[in-house]
Amino acid sequence: MFDNLSEKLQALFKRLRGHGTLTEANIQEALREVRLALLEADVHYKVVKEFIESVKEKALGQEVLQSLTPGQQLLKVVHQELVRLMGEGERRLNLSGSPASLMLVGLQGSGKTTTAAKLAKWLRAQGKTVGMVPADVYRPAAIEQLEQLGRMLNVPVYKPAQGEDPVSISVKSQNWAREKGLQVLVLDTAGRLHIDEPLMEELRKIKVAVAPKEVLLVVDAMTGQDAVQIAQSFNEK
């Protein structure tokens, strides 16, 4: 999705750079193509409308129209607005507590287990002692997958008892982490639909019992605008 959007925007601005000057008509045409590219990339129409209006307001200013390099100036405006739209500030993870629990949630097949391993590797690179918790007892071989990733990364993985439920696993792993002196615990929960009330209730119980410092929603990059509804549903639950 992002590759396709990037290719279309690059082709558009390559054409604009060929113009010695830009008129309002040129800019209007360019913004129509940007709008179409965003909609084809499954960006929500309200977001697209706000984005185009903001770019248009800045692009039709004298700074762009009278610039010696108007194509570059327009590209700069679009880039600045994309950065603003995606989020300008840096937000750091809350790693306070002993241990600081990070709870990964999301739909089935969104990549939570591999994300848990990547997150653990990144945290280790930041100098943190990390452990991982397999709280997915439903997907076949989910626990074994996390254990294998733990061995590859040399990251300890909590070993649940046979038949232990996800809430109990999450709670007992806290004491395990303290005994091992781990600073951060990454909880890999089972994938679930946000309309599956019993499984969403399970997440609520884990959250109450463990009080994670962060609840991180893992979403497939191809999800598109449905990601907004998924995020809202998980947040409300």
Side-chain angles (χ1 to χ4, degrees):
M1 180 176 72
F2 286 114
D3 287 343
N4 187 42
L5 176 59
S6 178
E7 287 175 7
K8 290 186 176 182
L9 291 179
Q10 285 177 8
L12 168 62
F13 290 117
K14 185 177 181 180
R15 293 201 307 273
L16 287 176
R17 282 195 292 268
H19 290 280
T21 59
L22 282 184
T23 64
E24 289 192 21
N26 292 142
I27 292 176
Q28 294 280 18
E29 181 184 355
L31 291 181
R32 278 197 296 271
E33 293 193 41
V34 171
R35 178 178 179 275
L36 182 60
L38 291 170
L39 290 173
E40 288 180 348
D42 203 23
V43 179
H44 196 281
Y45 75 94
K46 289 184 179 179
V47 176
V48 174
K49 182 180 179 182
E50 178 189 337
F51 175 78
I52 293 298
E53 287 177 352
S54 181
V55 172
K56 181 179 177 181
E57 180 182 347
K58 294 179 174 62
L60 291 178
Q62 296 302 307
E63 182 181 353
V64 172
L65 291 177
Q66 296 182 3
S67 170
L68 294 176
T69 56
Q72 292 283 11
Q73 284 296 110
L74 181 58
L75 175 58
K76 179 182 177 182
V77 171
V78 172
H79 176 265
Q80 289 174 338
E81 287 304 303
L82 280 173
V83 170
R84 182 191 64 80
L85 183 66
M86 298 296 288
E88 298 175 278
E90 178 183 356
R91 183 186 180 281
R92 295 183 177 275
L93 291 173
N94 180 0
L95 300 178
S96 61
S98 180
S101 294
L102 309 180
M103 182 176 168
L104 302 189
V105 302
L107 304 181
Q108 294 96 332
S110 58
K112 290 180 298 300
T113 302
T114 50
T115 299
K118 291 176 181 178
L119 182 57
K121 181 180 179 180
W122 179 80
L123 287 165
R124 279 191 59 190
Q126 309 304 307
K128 301 294 184 182
T129 53
V130 190
M132 297 190 291
V133 181
D136 180 358
V137 299
Y138 307 108
R139 180 168 62 87
I143 295 175
E144 290 79 0
Q145 181 188 1
L146 196 65
E147 288 175 340
Q148 183 177 2
L149 289 169
R151 286 192 294 270
M152 290 171 59
L153 298 173
N154 196 27
V155 171
V157 177
Y158 176 74
K159 183 72 173 178
Q162 186 71 29
E164 193 171 5
D165 67 87
V167 179
S168 176
I169 291 172
S170 302
V171 171
K172 290 182 179 179
S173 67
Q174 303 296 304
N175 289 330
W176 168 80
R178 294 187 188 98
E179 291 171 0
K180 296 184 74 68
L182 301 176
Q183 296 171 301
V184 186
L185 210 51
V186 181
L187 278 69
D188 177 30
T189 67
R192 65 204 71 210
L193 293 172
H194 50 285
I195 58 174
D196 190 329
E197 190 55 39
L199 284 179
M200 293 304 291
E201 177 61 25
E202 179 184 273
L203 277 186
R204 282 192 287 267
K205 289 180 179 178
I206 294 175
K207 185 177 179 181
V208 169
V210 175
K213 296 299 180 181
E214 300 279 5
V215 179
L216 306 175
L217 176 65
V218 180
V219 181
D220 190 313
M222 296 297 291
T223 303
Q225 60 180 285
D226 284 345
V228 176
Q229 295 175 327
I230 293 169
Q232 288 175 338
S233 297
F234 269 89
N235 187 54
E236 290 167 0
K237 299 293 185 180

